Structure formats: structure tokens, C-alpha cells
């Protein structure tokens, strides 16, 4: 079933990429439901093109055109990226793709996947995220919205003007951080973290507001990062430096207003398999973006295991601090860490 699902998602993506679905749509009658999907990246970026469009086209195709998903990239419907979740909750839009941590501390439980050296790979960690969402987050963090998918990106990489060859090179550097947890990690490692959404990175780097950023390879091409900085530090081993938690979220009243058969078209294309597909697909595009930096002659720094172990030890206080913060919110942070690790290990082995 999982293989058939992923094959179907990939097939729809291929059709979408060639524009083939335009002809299919023309054969459909007028849609019964039109859903607006709002997100912060340009339409040609990897996630909109190879994940969100695949999901939307698959919903349209499987529903026979009864559902139409209109896509609005680059915040075209207004607001800023941190406002996306409220847009979905309030019904200003129907569906959003967003970084959960763009609203610091508001959705605490997904932060467990962003802790340093927690994730192994994006597919396994995204499956673990969905499982933990169902058991610990659905009725808590996300009770006011209907979640369609939960996933993470590939291994986080440090991209800087000056090279980061060892832990000490982090000291004093101003680095863009995507979320509260990663801000804490960077500060623990000696840097000054500057919070900002992904679209702001290009200007901040070009104007020297920041010395570098932490993002996965896949989005660096869209942001022109390899042209703006020429040093990239990777962490090899069984665990990545960090990752970021995403959600594809739908306005709850809008979802509940759908007829059972229309809900099924949404449900059949969402959930665990879609989350795994999204994480795996996003991580896949790390390779081509990394290759562009190589072709530009940039300096790719690969930290060996001895050096990585030093970073792991230096980052350990982030865990204790996070557990204490969760305690203040009435959340058992250690239990979440244990569950997340167990699930990640399970799906990594699988």
C-alpha cells in the first residue's frame, strides 16, 4: 500500500511538472470546493514544486475535479510567514504550509524533533513526527487546526562567509536561526542567533546583517546562498546537527464542512505516507543544490566523527534547558524525547 501510494504521488508529480494535469482539469466539471493553499516560498522552489503541488494535484485528480486547490506562494495572500498558522486557524485561508517554530513557544511538542543531533534522516524522522503528532500533539498543540502532514527537512548545514572548521569557529558569528530551539542551540555553541523566516535570508546575507545561516542544502539554490557565501559545514555520522519541523495545516471548520466522500479524498492523500514522502522528497533535493555549490568552487567542510562528538557534548545543555522549559508548560519533555528517539530508531531501521 505504501509503495503504491508513493508511486502515485511521484506519478502525479511527473504529470504536474509537464503540465499534463491542465488537460485533465479541463475535463472536470466545475469544482464543488475550492481550497486556497498559502505558503512562504516561491512557486519554483523545491517544496512547492515537488511536495505541495504533488499533494494538491493528487487531491484534485483523485476527486475527479470536485476539489480544486489554488496555490498562493510567497505570501501572495498577505501577511508574514509567522502569521500563516493563524490564517489557517481563523479561516483567512484554507490550507497553509509553515514552519511550526515561526511562532516561538506556541507549539512546544514538535520542538522535540529540532533538538540537536536528534534526527537520523528526513523520511524516518517525518514518520516518527506523524506518530508522535497522533499520540501527543493532535489534541494539544494542534487542537484548533486540522493537520494534513508533518515532516522535517534533511540534515541542517552551516553556511558562512568565513569557514567553520571546528567548534571554536562558531564563537561570535551572527547566524540566522529558524526557530526557538535552534536559536538556543546556536547560542549554546557560541554564536549569536538572529531569528528570521527563510525568505529574509538572501537580503540579510547580501547586506552583511548576518555572517551565515543554518538551512538544509535543498533551499540554498532558491535563496542564492552558494553565490553569497562560500563555506558550508556538514556533519557526518548517524545524526544530523538539527532539522526543522513543518506542518501542512487546514482550517478545521472548513475540513469538517466537507462531505464524507470529499474528506476521504483529502485523507487518502494525507497522513503518515504523505509525511514520509514530503520529508524524503525535500531531502532528495539536498543533492542537486549541494552540487551547485561544488561547481561554484565553494569550500565544503566535512567534520569528522571526533569533531562531531565535541559538538554533541557542547550541545547537551540544550536538552536540559528544553526539558525544564517544557515542565513549565506542563509537558513531560523527557518522555517526549524518549518517545521521539524510539520512533526515529524504529523507522530508521525499517
Amino acid at each position: 500500500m505504501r509503495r503504491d501510494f508513493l508511486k502515485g504521488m511521484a506519478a502525479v508529480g511527473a504529470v504536474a511538472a509537464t503540465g499534463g494535469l491542465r488537460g485533465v482539469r479541463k475535463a472536470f466539471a466545475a469544482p464543488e470546493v475550492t481550497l486556497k493553499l498559502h505558503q512562504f516560498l516561491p512557486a519554483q522552489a523545491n517544496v512547492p514544486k515537488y511536495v505541495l503541488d504533488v499533494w494538491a494535484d493528487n487531491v484534485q485528480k483523485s476527486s475527479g475535479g470536485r476539489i480544486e486547490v489554488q496555490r498562493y506562494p510567497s505570501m501572495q495572500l498577505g501577511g508574514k510567514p509567522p502569521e500563516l498558522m493563524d490564517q489557517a486557524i481563523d479561516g483567512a485561508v484554507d490550507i497553509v504550509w509553515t514552519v511550526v517554530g515561526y511562532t516561538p513557544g506556541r507549539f512546544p511538542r514538535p520542538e522535540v524533533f529540532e533538538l540537536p543531533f536528534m534526527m537520523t534522516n528526513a523520511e524516518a524522522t517525518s514518520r516518527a513526527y506523524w506518530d508522535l503528532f497522533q499520540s501527543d500533539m493532535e489534541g494539544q498543540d494542534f487542537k484548533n487546526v486540522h493537520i494534513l502532514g508533518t515532516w522535517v527537512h534533511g540534515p541542517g548545514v552551516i553556511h558562512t562567509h568565513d569557514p567553520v572548521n571546528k567548534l571554536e569557529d562558531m564563537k561570535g558569528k551572527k547566524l540566522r536561526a529558524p526557530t526557538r530551539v535552534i536559536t538556543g542551540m546556536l547560542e549554546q555553541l557560541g554564536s549569536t542567533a538572529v531569528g528570521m523566516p527563510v525568505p529574509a535570508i538572501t537580503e540579510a546575507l547580501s547586506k552583511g546583517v548576518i555572517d551565515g545561516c543554518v538551512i538544509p542544502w535543498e533551499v540554498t539554490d532558491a535563496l542564492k546562498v552558494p553565490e553569497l557565501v562560500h563555506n558550508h559545514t556538514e556533519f557526518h555520522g548517524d545524526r544530523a546537527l538539527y532539522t526543522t519541523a513543518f506542518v501542512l495545516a487546514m482550517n478545521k471548520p472548513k475540513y469538517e464542512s466537507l462531505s464524507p466522500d470529499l474528506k476521504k479524498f483529502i485523507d487518502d492523500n494525507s497522513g503518515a505516507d504523505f509525511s514520509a514522502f514530503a520529508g524524503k522528497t525535500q531531502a532528495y533535493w539536498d543533492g542537486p543544490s549541494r552540487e551547485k555549490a561544488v561547481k561554484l568552487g565553494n569550500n565544503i567542510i566535512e567534520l569528522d566523527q571526533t569533531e562531531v562528538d565535541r559538538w554533541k557534548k557542547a550541545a547537551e545543555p540544550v536538552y536540559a534547558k528544553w526539558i525544564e522549559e517544557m515542565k513549565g508548560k506542563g509537558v513531560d519533555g523527557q518522555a517526549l524525547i524518549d518517545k521521539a528517539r524510539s520512533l526515529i530508531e524504529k523507522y530508521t531501521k525499517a
Side-chain angles (χ1 to χ4, degrees):
M1 183 181 295
R2 180 186 170 205
R3 285 196 300 269
D4 290 343
F5 175 89
L6 294 176
K7 286 179 181 177
M9 296 294 279
V12 173
V15 174
T18 61
L21 276 173
R22 295 190 188 97
V24 176
R25 289 192 192 105
K26 289 179 181 178
F28 293 152
E32 297 173 29
V33 175
T34 299
L35 303 174
K36 294 180 179 179
L37 194 165
H38 199 206
Q39 54 88 18
F40 56 88
L41 285 180
Q44 67 272 20
N46 292 321
V47 173
K49 189 173 181 180
Y50 298 110
V51 176
L52 302 181
D53 278 353
V54 170
W55 179 87
D57 287 337
N58 219 32
V59 168
Q60 291 181 160
K61 183 180 179 182
S62 63
S63 72
R66 294 172 64 195
I67 300 175
E68 179 185 10
V69 183
Q70 297 178 346
R71 305 93 193 263
Y72 295 89
S74 302
M75 303 304 298
Q76 287 180 352
L77 295 179
K80 299 178 180 179
E83 298 169 6
L84 280 165
M85 187 62 85
D86 278 331
Q87 290 182 355
I89 292 172
D90 298 341
V93 301
D94 301 304
I95 302 170
V96 301
W97 171 62
T98 189
V99 175
V100 179
Y102 276 173
T103 49
R106 184 175 175 186
F107 306 99
R109 291 167 182 83
E111 292 178 345
V112 68
F113 293 103
E114 299 181 347
L115 291 167
F117 301 102
M118 173 67 78
M119 77 163 284
T120 53
N121 66 70
E123 182 180 10
T125 305
S126 295
R127 281 196 175 276
Y129 184 4
W130 180 262
D131 281 7
L132 202 59
F133 154 72
Q134 288 191 306
S135 65
D136 288 77
M137 303 177 196
E138 187 170 15
Q140 302 293 332
D141 300 67
F142 300 116
K143 62 184 178 181
N144 295 321
V145 69
H146 182 77
I147 298 297
L148 304 169
T150 61
W151 71 90
V152 300
H153 61 59
V157 178
I158 302 173
H159 311 268
T160 50
H161 288 294
D162 297 324
V164 174
N165 292 297
K166 57 185 183 299
L167 180 60
E168 289 76 11
D169 294 335
M170 290 287 282
K171 187 174 182 180
K173 280 187 168 54
K174 292 186 293 182
L175 300 177
R176 174 266 178 180
T179 68
R180 188 182 74 88
V181 169
I182 299 162
T183 292
M185 178 191 73
L186 292 175
E187 292 176 347
Q188 181 64 38
L189 297 175
S191 297
T192 299
V194 181
M196 65 180 68
V198 163
I201 290 175
T202 305
E203 183 177 3
L205 283 175
S206 62
K207 291 185 175 181
V209 174
I210 53 178
D211 301 314
C213 59
V214 289
I215 49 174
W217 275 113
E218 65 88 13
V219 76
T220 57
D221 191 15
L223 298 175
K224 309 299 182 186
V225 170
E227 291 92 338
L228 294 170
V229 301
H230 303 110
N231 296 280
H232 314 273
T233 302
E234 299 177 328
F235 294 72
H236 287 277
D238 62 342
R239 303 278 168 170
L241 173 64
Y242 84 95
T243 191
T244 302
F246 303 100
V247 291
L248 184 65
M250 185 173 180
N251 174 261
K252 200 167 187 177
K254 185 69 174 183
Y255 173 80
E256 292 175 347
S257 72
L258 300 177
S259 63
D261 58 333
L262 291 181
K263 283 181 183 176
K264 190 174 188 302
F265 297 128
I266 299 288
D267 297 343
D268 286 351
N269 292 290
S270 306
D273 283 346
F274 167 68
S275 298
F277 163 82
K280 183 177 182 179
T281 301
Q282 190 166 353
Y284 169 82
W285 289 99
D286 285 344
S289 294
R290 184 185 189 277
E291 185 59 28
K292 181 169 184 178
V294 171
K295 288 181 178 178
L296 287 171
N298 289 8
N299 182 28
I300 311 294
I301 301 160
E302 300 180 10
L303 300 186
D304 61 28
Q305 191 60 55
T306 300
E307 182 62 24
V308 171
D309 288 342
R310 295 182 66 228
W311 289 65
K312 286 182 178 180
K313 186 171 181 58
E316 283 177 1
V318 176
Y319 280 80
K321 182 179 179 181
W322 187 78
I323 290 169
E324 189 62 28
E325 290 171 346
M326 293 302 102
K327 184 178 179 180
K329 297 176 180 289
V331 177
D332 187 340
Q334 185 61 60
L336 277 179
I337 290 171
D338 293 342
K339 282 185 181 181
R341 281 177 171 161
S342 177
L343 288 166
I344 291 171
E345 183 71 15
K346 168 187 170 183
Y347 287 118
T348 302
K349 287 181 177 179

